[in-house]
């Protein structure tokens, strides 16, 4: 326990120095010298604790709070040169680059300088870790708000300057061998393997769990995990590390590797894994803790985990005291503390609760025992801490975690096997990836189900949260226990173990077969008008062919929307329409085409000339494409006809004006038996008049309300089409182009994506069913 007291004193010194840095800096000198002298002379532990506190004050006092490059913040246009110091972070809005700057130029003057800057590059930037670049733009001071301080967040990485909307030039690619660059390359290869075999949101969820990279999750899925208190699942934790280390250790034990060598290999795997996923504070804490478990095993003694946790906190905060304010780090620390103090009692309670189970069911109970105990133990401390930080608490958090935590070992096991096979036996990789879809689908299904329930979120007062902490800590002190990180496997005969293995594998394969069966086409025509883009529509024909119109500007949202609706084994789009060369409508497609392949793409204009669309042009060069021809009809085998009502009669490209885009936007008609749907995209008033005078406009059962730059309908257009149902899509990127209220009058039924979310229409060719994917929101 002495190490725990020393760590608490150290942390207390750091917090004191942060609360009053000026007085703390003058205090630490006298206090540290006095405490050190008395500790040496009197050899009293209390004085050693005092010395630890003063050292904590010293460490925080010398922490940099400013960088030389920050002197150029908010001072106009500058040009920076430097090296990318971390893996580029691809986001929907651009690529985040952590740039180690060595040269700055302003007003014709160039000087050498040192400092880190967060640069936001265009999404098509293709640099990598170690690349030398030039970034031009305006340096800004990161914002600091009441609920979240972006400046404090970046300061923990020694970043005090931000350059959004930067003009980035690649000067040189990295040369030579780099250990970290190779780790990043291996990680990226693993991510590619995952996305090649799994649809969204399962691919991003698995990369979050296995690789610590959850940026591909759409906002809807991420919010669902946050609202239900399950966000810890998509972050690497001590639990993940324990599963990894335990699997390696047991495998080496099976092949009779000596305990010392077994511990060394297990620790090496854990450290490499921690570096592999980015070496964030939470990951390094988990690596420290789990490594100590195997070191202790080699030394033939048990690890007292509160002391091990204290050691990890002491080392990591000595390297960077600012991690003590990192919410993720705090949650990780308290999660492991919960594991250390409550895992064994929960496991014992589980044994008593299910002691009366029939013998055939006991192996299943034993399989779930540790997972349930670990999950509930971690929640004991993280739940009140989350409520304290975020000011909200979902009543469903215990139920959700009780349902999803037990399947996480299966996610780690099958996901890890999938990555292993993808690296060495690619032909076998599909099976474990398909099997991991079962626990992933269960996890996302439970989280989404509870996220859709009526909002009964509790907003507890800080005093109540502090009281909950006090009660939990009191119980912990009364019942200090040591957790069981890896459950001892009961001795069973090889025959019985093989029988249980065959039964479990058969159950998984049967469930997989059921999923394939229920994902078959149902004989109806389905259309989804998405709520994140103005013209993006997914069509599924009665026999399962898929047609996509545009794609929007948000890759993660498009991938999740399509992945939710296509069978997990289907990675092709039979027909893709691009209505006009506008990056706001199609810039998400390059990332989409990394997962799905279009068999034929129909263009309406030239997409060349825009840097933002260059990746799309390169992708389309790999597949069959051609320009739209007015009057052309694309017929599917199951009776769905896609007709090009109108297309560009004059050349348009990426340098054309919005008016030119909208006047010649691609207009399509989908017809199935007695139902036809008119897709008008961003057709302007001029384009609507041209349709009416050209004689190509016909009656439609369903109309996609056009959303040109004017956002209104020309007089007589609604009468000419006479739809029974009108759909209004709203683009979250360009709200100024949302259909005006005047454009949504005069129709029998109007459905708006800003009110009901994504709109799902399905028909058998005579009857039309339509539904929104969330409860209506009043306008």
């Amino acid at each position: 326990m002495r190490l725990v007291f020393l760590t608490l004193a150290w942390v207390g010194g750091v917090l004191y120095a942060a609360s009053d840095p000026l007085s703390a800096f003058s205090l630490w000198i006298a206090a540290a010298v006095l405490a050190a002298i008395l500790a040496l002379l009197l050899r009293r532990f209390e004085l050693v604790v005092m010395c630890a506190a003063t050292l904590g004050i010293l460490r925080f006092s010398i922490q940099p709070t400013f960088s030389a490059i920050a002197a150029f913040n908010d001072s106009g246009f500058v040009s920076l040169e430097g090296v990318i110091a971390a893996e580029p972070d691809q986001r929907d809005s651009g690529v985040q680059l952590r740039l180690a700057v060595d040269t700055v130029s302003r007003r014709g003057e160039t000087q050498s300088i040192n400092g880190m800057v967060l640069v936001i590059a265009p999404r098509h930037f293709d640099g990598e870790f170690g690349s030398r670049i030039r970034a031009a733009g305006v340096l800004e001071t990161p914002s600091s708000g009441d609920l979240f301080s972006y400046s404090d967040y970046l300061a923990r990485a020694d970043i005090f300057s931000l350059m959004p909307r930067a003009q980035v030039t690649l000067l040189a690619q990295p040369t030579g061998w780099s250990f970290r660059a190779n780790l990043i390359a291996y990680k990226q290869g693993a991510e590619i393997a995952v996305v090649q075999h799994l649809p969204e949101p399962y691919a991003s969820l698995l990369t979050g769990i296995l690789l610590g990279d959850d940026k591909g999750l759409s906002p809807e899925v991420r919010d669902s995990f946050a609202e239900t208190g399950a966000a810890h699942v998509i972050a690497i934790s001590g639990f993940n590390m324990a599963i990894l280390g335990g699997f390696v250790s047991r495998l080496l034990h099976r092949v009779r590797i000596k305990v010392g060598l077994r511990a060394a290999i297990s620790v090496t795997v854990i450290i490499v894994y921690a570096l592999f996923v980015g070496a964030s504070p939470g990951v390094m804490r988990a690596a420290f803790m789990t490594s100590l478990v195997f070191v202790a095993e080699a030394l033939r003694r048990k690890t007292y985990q509160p002391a091990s946790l204290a050691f990890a906190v002491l080392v990591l905060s000595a390297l960077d005291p600012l991690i003590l304010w990192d919410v993720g780090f705090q949650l990780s620390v308290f999660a492991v503390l919960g594991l250390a103090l409550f895992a064994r009692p929960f496991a014992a309670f589980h044994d008593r609760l299910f002691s009366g189970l029939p013998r055939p069911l006991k192996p299943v109970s034993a399989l779930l025992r540790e997972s349930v105990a670990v999950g509930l133990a971690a929640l004991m401390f993280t739940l009140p801490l989350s409520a304290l930080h975020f000011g909200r608490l979902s009543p469903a958090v215990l139920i959700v975690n009780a349902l999803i935590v037990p399947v996480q070992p299966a996610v780690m096991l099958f996901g890890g096997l999938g990555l292993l096979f993808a690296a060495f036996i690619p032909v076998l990789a599909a099976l474990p990836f398909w099997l991991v879809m079962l626990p992933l689908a269960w996890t996302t299904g439970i989280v989404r189900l509870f996220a859709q329930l009526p909002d009964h979120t509790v907003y507890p007062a800080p005093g109540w949260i502090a009281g909950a902490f006090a009660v939990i800590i009191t119980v912990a002190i009364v019942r200090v226990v040591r957790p069981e990180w890896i459950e001892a496997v009961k001795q069973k005969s090889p025959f019985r173990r093989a029988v249980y293995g065959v039964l479990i594998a058969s159950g998984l394969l049967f469930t997989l077969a059921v999923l394939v069966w229920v994902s078959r086409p149902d004989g109806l025509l389905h259309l989804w008008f998405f709520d994140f883009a103005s013209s993006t529509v997914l069509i599924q024909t009665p026999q399962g062919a898929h047609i996509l119109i545009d794609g929007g500007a948000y890759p993660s949202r498009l991938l999740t929307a399509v992945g939710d609706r296509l069978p997990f084994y289907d990675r092709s789009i039979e027909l893709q329409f691009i209505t006009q060369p506008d990056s706001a409508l199609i810039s998400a497609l390059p990332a989409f085409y990394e997962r799905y392949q279009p068999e034929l793409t129909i263009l309406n204009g030239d997409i060349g000339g825009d840097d933002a669309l260059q990746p799309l042009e390169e992708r389309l060069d790999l597949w069959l494409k051609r320009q739209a021809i007015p009057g052309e009809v694309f017929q599917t085998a199951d009776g769905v006809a896609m007709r090009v009502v109108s297309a560009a009669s004059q050349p348009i490209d990426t340098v054309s004006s919005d008016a030119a885009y909208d006047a010649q936007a691609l207009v399509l008609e989908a017809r199935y038996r007695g139902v036809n749907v008119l897709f008008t995209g961003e057709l302007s008033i001029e384009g609507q008049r041209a349709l009416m005078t050209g004689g190509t406009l016909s009656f439609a059962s369903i109309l996609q309300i056009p959303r040109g730059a004017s956002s209104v309908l020309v007089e007589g257009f609604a009468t000419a089409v006479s739809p029974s149902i009108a759909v209004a899509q709203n683009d979250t990127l360009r709200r100024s182009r949302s259909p005006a209220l005047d454009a949504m009058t005069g129709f029998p039924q109007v459905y708006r994506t800003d009110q009901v979310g994504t709109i799902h229409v399905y028909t058998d060719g005579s009857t039309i069913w339509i539904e929104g994917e969330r409860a209506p929101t009043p306008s």
Side-chain angles (χ1 to χ4, degrees), residues 662-713:
D662 300 341
Q664 302 190 72
L666 183 66
V667 178
L668 300 165
E669 180 191 51
R671 184 179 294 275
Y672 179 57
R673 296 179 180 172
V675 174
N676 60 323
V677 186
L678 187 64
F679 304 97
T680 58
E682 297 203 339
L683 191 67
S684 66
I685 289 179
E686 291 77 11
Q688 297 170 38
R689 288 198 182 104
L691 274 183
M692 295 174 63
T693 59
T696 57
L697 196 60
S698 61
F699 293 106
S701 310
I702 303 171
L703 169 67
Q704 179 192 56
I705 297 178
R707 303 178 343 96
S710 57
S711 295
V712 296
L713 287 178

Side-chain angles (χ1 to χ4, degrees), residues 310-370:
F311 176 72
V313 171
L314 184 62
V315 172
L316 291 174
S317 61
L319 296 173
D320 180 12
L322 293 179
I323 66 169
L324 295 176
W325 283 266
D326 185 278
V327 177
F329 178 73
Q330 294 174 15
L331 290 171
S332 296
V333 169
F334 280 103
V336 171
L337 185 59
L339 294 176
L341 300 179
F342 292 105
R344 177 182 285 181
F346 279 131
F349 176 75
H350 177 277
D351 291 342
R352 293 194 300 270
L353 185 64
F354 296 102
S355 59
L357 283 177
R359 183 178 294 273
L361 296 179
K362 286 188 175 181
V364 179
S365 174
L367 183 66
L368 298 178
R369 173 181 179 267
E370 200 70 21

Side-chain angles (χ1 to χ4, degrees), residues 122-125 607-616 654:
R123 201 161 63 198
H124 61 272
F125 176 75
I607 63 174
D610 186 346
D611 290 342
L613 295 181
Q614 183 180 354
L616 175 59
T654 55

Side-chain angles (χ1 to χ4, degrees), residues 445-717:
I446 292 296
V447 168
R448 281 174 158 174
L449 173 64
F450 280 88
Q452 292 175 358
L453 296 179
D455 186 11
H456 297 299
T457 301
V458 178
Y459 299 90
W464 285 100
I465 301 174
F469 256 128
V471 171
I472 294 172
I473 292 174
T474 301
V475 173
I477 292 175
V478 173
R479 302 192 61 179
V480 175
V481 295
R482 298 176 182 176
E484 298 174 342
W485 282 92
I486 307 297
E487 181 184 4
V489 180
K490 295 182 179 180
Q491 298 297 324
K492 293 184 174 68
S493 67
F495 175 76
R496 292 183 60 185
R497 188 181 299 115
V499 170
Y500 288 134
V502 170
L503 290 176
I504 293 174
S506 300
L508 291 174
L509 291 174
F510 175 76
T511 307
L512 189 63
V514 171
L515 287 178
V516 174
W517 177 265
V518 292
S519 64
R520 295 180 310 139
D522 57 4
L524 302 177
L525 174 67
H526 293 263
L527 304 98
W528 290 275
F529 296 83
F530 294 130
D531 61 350
F532 57 82
S534 62
S535 57
T536 302
V537 181
L538 176 66
I539 302 171
Q540 177 177 294
T541 69
Q543 292 184 7
H546 294 97
I547 302 168
L548 182 64
I549 302 175
D550 288 339
Y554 305 98
S556 63
R557 295 186 180 186
L558 177 63
L559 285 166
T560 298
V562 175
D564 280 341
R565 292 160 179 86
L566 263 65
F568 66 90
Y569 51 83
D570 189 353
R571 309 308 291 271
S572 64
I573 299 293
E574 279 71 16
L575 189 57
Q576 167 81 63
F577 289 99
I578 293 179
T579 61
Q580 57 192 59
D582 187 346
S583 60
L585 302 181
I586 56 176
S587 58
L589 289 178
F592 178 77
Y593 289 158
E594 293 177 2
R595 319 280 186 92
Y596 297 90
Q597 179 175 340
E599 296 183 7
L600 174 62
T601 300
I602 303 300
L603 304 170
N604 185 41
D606 183 13
I607 63 174
D610 186 346
D611 290 342
L613 295 181
Q614 183 180 354
L616 175 59
E617 185 177 23
E618 294 173 353
R619 285 279 178 182
L620 290 177
D621 286 340
L622 303 175
W623 300 309
L624 187 62
K625 64 175 181 178
R626 59 184 175 85
Q627 293 291 326
I629 302 174
E632 186 176 19
V633 177
F634 300 89
Q635 185 84 34
T636 65
D638 46 14
V640 177
M642 294 292 298
R643 179 171 70 95
V644 178
V645 179
S646 71
S649 58
Q650 299 177 357
I652 58 172
D653 53 31
T654 55
V655 298
S656 301
S657 64
D658 282 352
Y661 287 160
D662 300 341
Q664 302 190 72
L666 183 66
V667 178
L668 300 165
E669 180 191 51
R671 184 179 294 275
Y672 179 57
R673 296 179 180 172
V675 174
N676 60 323
V677 186
L678 187 64
F679 304 97
T680 58
E682 297 203 339
L683 191 67
S684 66
I685 289 179
E686 291 77 11
Q688 297 170 38
R689 288 198 182 104
L691 274 183
M692 295 174 63
T693 59
T696 57
L697 196 60
S698 61
F699 293 106
S701 310
I702 303 171
L703 169 67
Q704 179 192 56
I705 297 178
R707 303 178 343 96
S710 57
S711 295
V712 296
L713 287 178
V714 69
E715 183 178 356
F717 188 84

